[in-house]
Amino acid sequence: MIKNSNNKRLGWVITGSGHFFEECLDIMSELGEFDLFVSKAAEEVIRMYRKKNAQFPKDTRIFKDTTASSAPVGFFYKNIYHTLVVAPATSNTIAKFVAGISDNLATNIFAQAGKCKVPCIVLACDTEPEHDTKAPSKMVKVYPRKIDLENTKKLKSFELTTVVSSVEDLKKVLKKI
Ligand SMILES: Cc1cc2nc3c(=O)[nH]c(=O)nc-3n(C[C@H](O)[C@H](O)[C@H](O)COP(=O)(O)O)c2cc1C
């Protein structure tokens, strides 16, 4: 699933969303070899939700957002990815995606994946007018705004982009790649 018949890899972008965060880490812990791109906010959020370090499969390559030019985007020019997953995707990251902004690692990876015609699967946090979410210490109810819901809807019209709204749907789509 993760390395396809052409020996291409899966790329995964993780952003700073508490919603779906732990579930995504669980999915990743069971994947084969893949490349993980971590937003600055995700680096902070991971420490709030996981008491100990997240476990990733051996050979996972992890890239943090440490360069102004988002240097790891260079991998996309080498044609090494068959699919990009962005999960979970914050409302911030989705707003930037639909506005065509590339000013950090997550947004640059998405933009370059699109420009290199790599299909992308995005697990959006804000797909319903209200949902329960896990804050670091307890469950809370949140009410995504009209702008957040509109941005998610706009992203669905992007070429080569599949937007999913649940962990179950993400797992189903991942099984097919
Ligand atoms: C504990 C915690 C939980 C958060 N959960 C969410 C969330 O579920 N959805 C969201 O859109 N933003 C959430 N945020 C806010 C984002 O981390 C913030 O908008 C950040 O700027 C996103 O950066 P990124 O999109 O580059 O990862 C959370 C922040 C914290 C501290």
Side-chain angles (χ1 to χ4, degrees), residues 51-142:
K51 300 285 175 276
K52 53 183 174 62
N53 283 342
Q55 299 293 316
F56 295 113
K58 189 168 105 20
D59 298 329
T60 304
R61 300 193 301 181
I62 301 178
F63 301 95
K64 296 183 179 176
D65 193 354
T66 55
T67 61
S69 61
S70 296
V73 297
F75 293 131
F76 281 83
Y77 306 133
K78 294 182 181 161
N79 199 19
I80 65 168
Y81 299 108
H82 57 78
T83 311
L84 177 71
V85 173
V86 183
T90 59
S91 47
N92 171 61
T93 286
I94 288 188
K96 289 184 178 180
F97 283 177
V98 300
I101 293 173
S102 323
D103 67 346
N104 60 27
L105 185 59
T107 52
N108 268 298
I109 292 288
F110 177 75
Q112 293 309 321
K115 291 179 188 181
C116 295
K117 295 202 176 293
V118 175
C120 186
I121 304 160
V122 181
L123 173 60
C125 300
D126 294 335
T127 55
E128 300 292 336
E130 68 174 81
H131 64 247
D132 296 317
T133 192
K134 199 172 161 204
S137 56
K138 61 174 182 156
M139 292 303 290
V140 291
K141 203 169 260 307
V142 292

Side-chain angles (χ1 to χ4, degrees), residues 126-129 144-153:
D126 294 335
T127 55
E128 300 292 336
R145 304 160 302 173
K146 195 168 157 233
I147 183 88
D148 302 318
L149 299 173
E150 278 173 5
N151 284 337
T152 301
K153 200 171 157 198

